[in-house]
Structure formats: C-alpha cells, structure tokens
Amino acid sequence: MKKIFIITLTAAIRLTAGAWTVVPHNDGTTALDFADIAKGHPTPFAIERAEGKWSHYTKIGETREARFTDTDKVKPTGAYYRIVDAKGVVIDTISFDRQLFGDKIIVFSPTDNMDSVAATAAMIDRRLFGHEMDADRYALVFKPGDYREAGLINVPFYIHIAGLGSTPYEVEVSNIHTPPHLREGNGTCTFWRSAENLSVVGPETYDEPETFKWAVSQAAPMRRVYSNRTLRTQWGNGWVSGGYAADCRFDAPAGSDHQQQWYYRNSILNKGRGNFREEKYNYCFQGVEFGPEADMATYRNNWDEGGNVTVIETTPLIAEKPFLCLGDDGRYKVFRPAFRSEAKGVSYALGNPGKGEYLDLLDTFEVVKPGATSAEMNAALAAGKNLLITPGMFTLDEPLRITRPGTVVLGIGWATLIPGENNSEGAIVIDDVDNVAVASLLFDAHYSSDTLLKVGKEKTSVSHEGAPVLLSDLFFRIGGFRPNPVHVDRAVEINSNNVVGDHFWIWRADHGVRGSVGWAVNTAPNGLVVNGDDVTVYGLFNEHFQEYQTLWNGERGRMYFYQCETPYDSPTQAHYMSENGTRPGYAAYKVSDGVKNHFAAALGIYDVLVNEIRIENSIEVPDAEGVNVYHACNNSLSNGGKRGFGFVINGLGKSTYDTFRDNRVVVNNYREGK
C-alpha cells in the first residue's frame, strides 16, 4: 500500500510515496529520491524528463546517488522522470501524477505518442471487457489537448474516461464506443462506466463505425460531453435499457431506434434525434435546449396520444456534479459547480466553466488510495478535509461520517465502498448539515447492513433550503458480486430536508456470480426511502426490491424520470403481498397515505416475473389535491398470462396482468384521469 501524507512546508509541499518520491518545491525545483527502486542497479543513473509518460524523453542530468534535483522550473503535473541505470536499463518512470493518484488513474498528456495512448486504452479494454463482476477499476484522464490521432477508445466495465480541462472543449478525442459483451448487440447489462468533460470530434454520419456509440443501460452516466459526431445510444439493433446524459451539448443528431428509455437533463440537442425513431417506452427531456434543426414535432408532451415523450422546460433546482481538473496554475483542482434554479441548457460555455468554485486538491482534499481504512478516512474528514477516493474497492469497518457543512466526497474510476462484516450501519452516514456533495461512488453490499447510504440520522425540521445536500451518480448493488447471503433494509435512506439526488441506480441484483442471487439470498425490502421534506430526485433507476422499491414519506417531494423493474424471483403470490397481506404485490413507487403534496413525472415501470404474480398497482399515491403523477407507463417484459400489474396507479389504467408481452399501458395525468 502506498500512502500519501500531505504536509505544507515553507519551502515545499512534500508527498511521500514509499518506494520513491517526487517533491515539488515552492521555488519551482523538483527533488527526486529513488533509493529503494535503485538498489542493485549500476551507477551513474541518467535522469530523463518528458511532459507525459508516453512523451519524448530528454536527458537532463546524471547522478551517482539515488536522488536528483531538477532545477528547471517545470509544473509538477507536467513532468515525468525516467530513471536509467549505467547499463541503459529503465528502472522506472516516476512522476508527481503517479505519486498523487497511484497507478489506477492513468494520466495522458497531449505530447504523448498517440499510438501509446491507444495501446494503453486497448490493453485496459481487453482486461475488463465483459468482466461484469470484477474488482479492477481505472480512470483514464486527459490533460487539455488534442488526442484524436489515438483513434477510437472503447470504454468497458469500471472505466471512467474524462478530460482535465475546465470545460469539455479543452480535450478532444476521436471517438468512444461501449461494445456489449452479450450476443447480438444486447446492451442490457452494459453497466458501470462513465464519460465526462471532453469532446468527441469527428464526422457527422450515421455510418458505422463512425457514430459515437454510448450504447448503455443503467449506471453509465455521460456528463459535460460535447460531440459533433452522431451519438447512437444503441448497438446494432440490440436491446438496451439506459440511460442518462446531463450537461451535454450534441451538435449532431443524438438518439436511437429502440432504447427502452433515456433521460436528458440540461443539455443541448442542436439537431434533435435526427433519423432515429426512438420507439420504445419513456424518453424525458428536462431543461433541454433544442436547436433550429431539431424536429420539434417530436419533442412535445404526447402521452395523451399514446406517445412516449415528456418535455419539462426547466430543472427546478440542480448543481452539476463536481469533477477533477487542472487549474491555470498547473495544480489539480476539483471544480464544484454552483446550484442553478429553473435551469435550462448546459452550465458552461466555451472558455467559461460556469458559476462554481475551484477547490485546490492538495490544500483541501485527502487523496484516498486502495488500502486506506475507514478510520483513516474519518480522521481526514474530522480534520476538515474533503475526500477524493481513487479507483479500488474499500471495505469499511465503520461508515464514513460526514459531519462538516460543505464537505465534498468524490469518487473517481468507480471507487467502491463496501460496509464490512461487522459494520451494520452502512458505508456513508451524513449528519443533518448544509451543502454536502457526495458523488461518483459505487456502494456494494458484501455483508448485511441497515443501509448503504444514510442522509441525516433521523427526520428533523431543519431546513437546508439555501444550501442543499447534493448526491450525484451514486450506484448501489445488493448481491451479484460475492457468493454469500446478504441483507440490507434500505439501500438509501434520506432523512434530511432539501436534498437533491441526481442519478441513482439502486439494484437488488437479478444476476451475478453463482450463489449471490436468490429470493432468500440477497434480501432487501426497499431501494430508496425518503423521509425528508422538499427532496428532489432526477434520474432514479431502482429495481428488483422485495417490498416497496421506492417509499416516499416526506412532503413536497419531486421525482423526475423513473425506471423500475419488478423483482423477477418472488416464488409465489403469498410471498409478495402488501397491506398486511391483503393486497397483491407491492407498488414499485409508493407515496405514503398521509402525504399532502408530491409530484412525479416520466415513470416507466415494467413487470419481469418468472412466476404467476399479480401486483395490484405499479404506483400508489394518496388521494390529495397536491399529489400528482404525470406520464406513467407499464410494460410487460414477462411472458404474458397470469402475471403483471393490475393497474398503473391506484386502480387507474388497466394494465399488463393477463395480457401479452410488450404491452405498454399509459396514464397521462393522474389528477385528470381519476
């Protein structure tokens, strides 16, 4: 394990990496110490320097000791040093980047040999392609520059690809694909990957393989991406059940023919969907700007005609996800975008990152690498640090406790938090405090716990209206990875008020490694429970839980875009009865009876049932004037017959029970239809 200790000195910021160190001093010089790795190698050592790991190296000096000071004033994030012994053997390549982040965040420079960039990305693709349940993770990050000559980059499981500029325009790649590992283009299990803060630049064409193919399903966010290539969210004519894109600008057509559903939030679609038909169940466009070439006849609320499009003009309250970048001073930062009200379009412009704040990584964050313990992370949090959690799986003996207002906990490269065997509380517990941001993390239940994430220890009357908690790109997995029984009561519990959730996939696994999945194996009643008031959630994917999948108890809740599948595996109707055994099945979306004000829009809820099970209602809400559900559909993905939903919502909209497969049933507006 390599640990990083950050100490601010008068003359230097020193980071210790174990086998070697790269110490950038305040006077611009850089001290190298490589005694441990140099043992047994003949002297003198030649020191070579380049701007990137795969760039051209130039000899800058020699030393007979295993230390050297680079007296040229170079930015620490722009120098890689190759240590060569007297026989010409390259001992290692060391850098501030490697020391800071470890070897699972791979930093590319625009001066790198583009064949080497392509080969490195291809090597990682071969390593992780098809490895749905794997412990390995990487982030591929690109310093500002042009990488188009590196060609197509495939993004497999557990890869985060991102630019390090302040806007997406500062990093250009040629193309990105997400090939499915299942046969015949089936992308229904194309999960756990992400793209952020870069441009995909190439010809605008529908011809394959020239399209930008982000053909994904759940837990595969695309954020802050610019593209002038045609974006296709489907692979061939295969199945897909995604997806999510936010803060993106698409100057070429963007869409698919058969994506099951898709949610665009605060993006720009200059040419709309182009020639794509988008025929399936649930497409939602919220806070989206459409260009003059978009066919606006296809972007209107049309569920009352049996259509599948929801257009919501603005996003009432949102802040975009924090992200890692390089500042003008050459230091790593985390940019934290500001909250926007009634937001439309993207949060940035060419040369302008938008409103927000830069947080210096070394000054304000603890960089957490594999092997770090929950005690060490909690000590950093208690000392006032934010956390940047790097790629890896972290088993926590106690939850991470966020007690300080303004704290940022940001994962990168699919950092994964696992409550340990004796930790029944969960992975993260946030106190009832202002302005916390938790983002880009996978929560994995290998053992039993009450929750995986808890926001506020209990319901209070404390308002956070002026400084909400933000939860972005958080994904929860119960079962699937580890062959043992596991139980979680509520994957996510929100007790605080004024919380904003932006993109969750909460998944009780329906498949995985042998012995990890079964009605009595990975047990969990609820995916999301909301007790707080004035909670808003955008892009909620929540599947296969054994009771109410979403249970909303708080007032004035708002939910925009929902995707849900029933649990496949209830053995009999007797195993799946709500209301003290009097009502068949559990609603997938339940608003508690006493709630007086709630709004939900663009809900796609699908029955996938192996056995003959009736679920009376897919949605249940109280009959109050302030409660409405707008655009809700059911579809049967079962094999038809005596299984499925009796009604879409509260006895309204005769649904999929005792009908046929792929039968879509719609309720346009609950208040008007009841």
Side-chain angles (χ1 to χ4, degrees):
M1 165 188 170
K2 291 183 180 178
K3 292 184 181 179
I4 286 183
F5 301 91
I6 301 176
I7 307 171
T8 305
L9 305 176
T10 338
I13 295 175
R14 180 173 181 82
L15 290 87
T16 304
W20 48 265
T21 59
V22 176
V23 183
H25 290 275
N26 289 344
D27 63 2
T29 64
T30 305
L32 316 180
D33 188 328
F34 49 93
D36 287 353
I37 62 173
K39 289 176 182 176
H41 287 269
T43 61
F45 303 109
I47 309 300
E48 301 173 349
R49 188 182 67 214
E51 290 186 33
K53 183 176 180 180
W54 295 276
S55 302
H56 175 71
Y57 284 83
T58 301
K59 183 177 177 180
I60 61 170
E62 285 188 355
T63 177
R64 290 193 172 276
E65 298 184 353
R67 61 180 64 90
F68 182 83
T69 298
D70 181 1
T71 57
D72 293 337
K73 291 180 169 54
V74 298
K75 291 180 179 179
T77 56
Y80 281 71
Y81 298 95
R82 198 157 62 186
I83 315 299
V84 184
D85 72 11
K87 291 184 177 180
V89 174
V90 177
I91 299 171
D92 204 351
T93 301
I94 65 178
S95 69
F96 183 86
D97 287 345
R98 278 188 67 197
Q99 181 173 270
L100 180 60
F101 295 127
D103 288 328
K104 293 303 179 74
I105 297 181
I106 297 176
V107 183
F108 295 113
S109 167
T111 60
D112 285 341
N113 178 285
M114 291 298 137
D115 288 341
S116 297
V117 173
T120 303
M123 175 188 67
I124 293 170
D125 177 42
R126 289 191 299 271
R127 163 69 186 86
L128 284 170
F129 177 76
H131 288 212
E132 187 175 355
M133 300 295 170
D134 201 291
D136 214 357
R137 284 121 173 74
Y138 289 92
L140 309 182
V141 297
F142 297 78
K143 294 180 179 179
D146 186 346
Y147 298 85
R148 285 177 290 174
E149 289 186 9
L152 172 67
I153 298 172
N154 284 333
V155 180
F157 284 109
Y158 306 113
I159 295 298
H160 176 67
I161 180 171
L164 289 172
S166 293
T167 70
Y169 307 112
E170 296 169 45
V171 170
E172 294 182 335
V173 301
S174 173
N175 206 354
I176 298 173
H177 282 180
T178 56
H181 61 287
L182 302 177
R183 293 181 300 172
E184 299 173 351
N186 186 340
T188 54
C189 292
T190 304
F191 309 143
W192 302 311
R193 63 202 74 197
S194 46
E196 177 177 69
N197 196 35
L198 46 74
S199 295
V200 181
V201 179
E204 179 186 321
T205 174
Y206 292 92
D207 295 338
E208 301 296 353
E210 294 299 315
T211 57
F212 166 21
K213 285 201 282 197
W214 195 253
V216 298
S217 290
Q218 291 81 13
M222 185 196 313
R223 288 184 178 269
R224 210 174 176 93
V225 166
Y226 167 77
S227 177
N228 68 354
R229 280 188 186 266
T230 300
L231 170 69
R232 194 163 196 266
T233 61
Q234 181 179 7
W235 197 274
N237 201 36
W239 299 341
V240 264
S241 63
Y244 176 95
D247 211 24
C248 294
R249 180 181 180 120
F250 303 110
D251 277 354
S256 68
D257 293 331
H258 304 302
Q259 257 285 4
Q260 184 170 306
Q261 64 261 315
W262 197 274
Y263 179 51
Y264 292 95
R265 184 186 57 67
N266 291 98
S267 294
I268 297 173
L269 293 171
N270 260 346
K271 295 187 178 179
R273 67 181 57 165
N275 294 339
F276 297 119
R277 300 191 303 272
E278 297 196 330
E279 295 177 329
K280 287 295 183 179
Y281 314 135
N282 187 19
Y283 301 94
C284 183
F285 304 85
Q286 183 165 16
V288 170
E289 292 181 349
F290 300 98
E293 293 184 55
D295 180 2
M296 294 310 297
T298 66
Y299 294 107
R300 60 188 181 85
N301 290 304
N302 60 8
W303 286 49
D304 57 341
E305 305 164 12
N308 56 16
V309 172
T310 302
V311 177
I312 300 169
E313 291 297 324
T314 63
T315 304
L317 181 67
I318 192 63
E320 301 301 335
K321 186 187 79 67
F323 61 92
L324 182 69
C325 61
L326 276 169
D328 292 339
D329 58 0
R331 291 168 66 94
Y332 283 105
K333 316 283 186 182
V334 168
F335 185 70
R336 185 176 186 184
F339 271 96
R340 298 187 288 162
S341 297
E342 302 305 330
K344 190 162 187 174
V346 299
S347 66
Y348 53 86
L350 186 65
N352 179 3
K355 292 182 179 180
E357 61 176 332
Y358 287 99
L359 304 174
D360 189 274
L361 191 69
L362 293 182
D363 289 347
T364 65
F365 278 79
E366 183 82 1
V367 180
V368 179
K369 292 191 286 191
T373 67
S374 49
E376 291 168 333
M377 287 184 259
N378 277 327
L381 290 168
K385 290 285 189 179
N386 303 308
L387 300 182
L388 177 71
I389 306 178
T390 65
M393 301 188 78
F394 299 83
T395 299
L396 307 176
D397 294 333
E398 59 182 349
L400 303 184
R401 303 187 188 279
I402 299 175
T403 61
R404 177 178 59 87
T407 298
V408 176
V409 174
L410 175 63
I412 187 171
W414 293 90
T416 302
L417 304 182
I418 304 160
E421 188 170 9
N422 298 313
N423 171 12
S424 63
E425 290 186 76
I428 293 181
V429 176
I430 305 173
D431 275 6
D432 195 22
V433 295
D434 285 351
N435 198 32
V436 168
V438 177
S440 298
L441 291 167
L442 174 59
F443 296 73
D444 206 355
H446 294 187
Y447 307 97
S448 296
S449 59
D450 295 339
T451 64
L452 296 177
L453 169 66
K454 181 182 286 190
V455 185
K457 294 178 182 177
E458 58 187 13
K459 176 74 173 73
T460 72
S461 60
V462 176
S463 172
H464 304 285
E465 184 177 3
V469 170
L470 177 69
L471 309 172
S472 304
D473 287 348
L474 301 182
F475 311 115
F476 304 84
R477 182 167 64 194
I478 299 169
F481 188 88
R482 191 169 181 269
N484 66 298
V486 61
H487 177 83
V488 174
D489 287 335
R490 304 161 304 284
V492 182
E493 181 180 317
I494 298 176
N495 295 314
S496 292
N497 303 317
N498 311 100
V499 173
V500 175
D502 183 30
H503 193 207
F504 299 159
W505 185 35
I506 311 172
W507 186 57
R508 175 182 166 260
D510 59 285
H511 65 275
V513 301
R514 185 183 298 274
S516 68
V517 171
W519 187 255
V521 177
N522 56 325
T523 57
N526 309 119
L528 171 65
V529 176
V530 178
N531 298 317
D533 297 334
D534 302 292
V535 171
T536 304
V537 177
Y538 307 99
L540 172 57
F541 300 73
N542 189 9
E543 302 186 283
H544 311 312
F545 287 85
Q546 294 173 299
E547 294 182 11
Y548 299 122
Q549 308 210 42
T550 297
L551 176 59
W552 208 298
N553 300 315
E555 285 288 355
R556 297 176 298 282
R558 296 178 294 193
M559 204 288 306
Y560 300 94
F561 187 82
Y562 185 62
Q563 186 265 337
C564 183
E565 288 182 357
T566 61
Y568 294 12
D569 53 347
S570 178
T572 68
Q573 186 72 68
H575 286 84
Y576 202 54
M577 297 286 290
S578 61
E579 299 293 323
N580 296 316
T582 63
R583 182 174 297 166
Y586 284 86
Y589 193 86
K590 173 75 172 181
V591 180
S592 291
D593 293 345
V595 171
K596 295 180 174 58
N597 191 295
H598 186 89
F599 179 77
L603 296 85
I605 301 173
Y606 317 117
D607 69 71
V608 191
L609 297 162
V610 174
N611 299 309
E612 292 190 346
I613 303 291
R614 178 182 173 91
I615 303 170
E616 190 67 15
N617 301 295
S618 74
I619 302 166
E620 293 176 357
V621 299
D623 187 15
E625 286 297 323
V627 175
N628 198 13
V629 177
Y630 179 66
H631 289 182
C633 74
N634 292 157
N635 192 70
S636 178
L637 303 178
S638 307
N639 289 324
K642 302 288 187 181
R643 67 196 83 204
F645 299 111
F647 301 94
V648 178
I649 177 169
N650 286 16
L652 181 67
K654 188 175 184 305
S655 193
T656 60
Y657 184 78
D658 200 15
T659 61
F660 48 89
R661 183 181 174 88
D662 214 20
N663 173 38
R664 182 173 180 265
V665 182
V666 168
V667 167
N668 178 54
N669 186 315
Y670 171 65
R671 298 299 322 159
E672 292 179 0
K674 62 185 291 295

